[in-house]
Amino acid sequence: MFEKNLHDLVRGIRTNKNNEAKFISACIEEIRNEIKTDNMTLKCQGITKLVYLQMLGYDMSWSNFNTIEVMSATKFTFKRVGYLAASQSFHENTDLLMLATNMIRKDLCSVNQYESSLALTGLLLNSVKICVV
């Protein structure tokens, strides 16, 4: 259980061209289990795989709350993955947008310059996306 990282996911998609839909369905089930755990490393790894699958055209809106959880992590590398996932999957009609706004506000006021710059980058990516649409 939980043995596929992003590299394994990409390799598996490439090797299962004939059964790609079945393989991705199995991976999404595994990801659902990963992001339900309390282990933030597994949750972050699952969100990373979902970001990749979204770039391939699969919907990841069902994981928005888990994305907010990863955004609120104390470890910067996890927080960065959360902001990337939010900038890709959140839109103006997302139910949890108020939570994301409060998370961005908290990180903007942080004394840690990296967290502040991450929040600014997240704001920039989302505002450009909304302006383009």
Side-chain angles (χ1 to χ4, degrees):
M1 187 173 196
F2 311 137
E3 56 207 38
K4 291 185 188 96
N5 58 22
L6 180 61
H7 183 72
D8 295 332
L9 175 69
V10 173
R11 185 182 307 145
I13 290 172
R14 288 180 181 167
T15 58
N16 289 303
K17 281 295 181 188
N18 296 334
N19 263 340
E20 184 175 323
K22 184 178 177 184
F23 178 78
I24 289 178
S25 294
C27 288
I28 288 176
E29 252 336 285
E30 182 179 308
I31 292 168
R32 282 184 195 271
N33 292 329
E34 283 180 3
I35 63 176
K36 287 179 186 175
T37 65
D38 291 333
N39 185 343
M40 190 56 76
T41 304
L42 280 178
K43 195 173 287 205
C44 183
Q45 186 177 13
I47 294 293
T48 304
K49 291 188 275 189
L50 283 175
V51 167
Y52 179 75
L53 290 175
Q54 175 150 5
M55 289 190 294
L56 296 179
Y58 293 90
D59 181 39
M60 70 174 266
S61 62
W62 54 268
S63 66
N64 285 345
F65 186 76
N66 302 102
T67 300
I68 296 286
E69 287 180 328
V70 173
M71 283 173 68
S72 67
T74 55
K75 194 170 181 183
F76 178 75
T77 53
F78 296 159
K79 190 179 282 284
R80 185 176 57 191
V81 169
Y83 271 94
L84 173 65
S87 67
Q88 269 196 295
S89 66
F90 289 6
H91 51 81
E92 57 197 35
N93 297 326
T94 301
D95 293 337
L96 300 173
L97 207 52
M98 185 60 72
L99 288 173
T101 303
N102 289 334
M103 193 76 243
I104 291 171
R105 182 179 299 138
K106 178 183 159 267
D107 286 341
L108 278 174
C109 296
S110 174
V111 295
N112 185 336
Q113 66 184 359
Y114 300 110
E115 289 179 359
S116 298
S117 65
L118 185 60
L120 282 172
T121 304
L123 273 174
L124 175 69
L125 291 174
N126 281 326
S127 64
V128 168
K129 184 172 76 172
I130 291 171
C131 290
V132 170
V133 174

